[in-house]
Amino acid sequence: IVPDCVDAPVAASFCYENSVTTSFTYEATTPGNEVAIVITGGAVETSWDEFIVYDGDNTGAELYNGYGPLAGLIFESSTGSLTIAVQADGSGSCGTGLVAPITYDVYCGTIFGCTNVAATNYDPAALTDDGSCSFDVLGCTDVAALNYDAAATADDGSCIVPGCGDAPVALSYCY
């Protein structure tokens, strides 16, 4: 299966059956590009069925071999293709209603975004930082406060605003 790099990500899903091995190989359309897969939901039967991801075809390096809930797993090829496979026994599967279908997004090329967890726009699915990270500058944003900080982009609750109960501030009087 070749995802179109222009339209990436491509959303996909499948529901596996008992006693069947199912696999899908995704290849980059442009030489030199990589393929990335982000698992968004689903599961395979715990302790009995296997979810396997290979870098390349099903003879490539095994990137993952596990079971249970799969949401949040992210894989990126180094070969220009990825293969996902499910090896199922006969006791329970998505087809029998035991587990939810496996859903995922396929990207042609890396997933760009902000990879810095301290940034306000951190993207947990991003594999390559694109320089878009933004950070709030904490400080007092109240212009009437004694400690107003013009560089602050987010108020941190530290503003000191004098009131009539406070000592007079230069040329300010309470009547």
Side-chain angles (χ1 to χ4, degrees), residues 16-19 45-49 88-94 96 98:
Y16 72 94
E17 298 293 333
N18 281 345
S19 304
E45 181 186 17
T46 300
S47 299
W48 300 106
D49 299 340
D89 71 349
S91 64
S93 65
C94 174
T96 64
L98 181 67

Side-chain angles (χ1 to χ4, degrees), residues 2-10 26-38 74-82 105-113 125-128:
V2 180
D4 184 353
C5 289
V6 175
D7 297 328
V10 175
Y26 295 92
E27 299 176 357
T29 56
T30 306
N33 275 357
E34 301 306 328
V35 174
I37 295 178
V38 177
I74 301 171
F75 306 97
E76 184 173 28
S77 71
S78 64
T79 62
S81 67
L82 285 173
D105 293 328
V106 180
Y107 295 80
C108 185
T110 190
I111 303 170
F112 291 96
L127 298 171
T128 301

Side-chain angles (χ1 to χ4, degrees), residues 57-148:
D57 63 19
N58 63 357
T59 63
E62 201 172 274
L63 301 177
Y64 181 84
N65 187 329
Y67 50 78
L70 302 171
L73 296 175
I74 301 171
F75 306 97
E76 184 173 28
S77 71
S78 64
T79 62
S81 67
L82 285 173
T83 298
I84 59 173
V86 173
Q87 294 178 350
D89 71 349
S91 64
S93 65
C94 174
T96 64
L98 181 67
V99 293
I102 299 167
T103 58
Y104 53 98
D105 293 328
V106 180
Y107 295 80
C108 185
T110 190
I111 303 170
F112 291 96
C114 175
T115 60
N116 188 322
V117 295
T120 56
N121 62 331
Y122 167 66
D123 182 355
L127 298 171
T128 301
D129 196 283
D130 63 2
S132 69
C133 296
S134 61
F135 302 87
D136 282 336
V137 176
L138 297 176
C140 175
T141 59
D142 185 342
V143 294
L146 297 173
N147 60 333
Y148 169 69

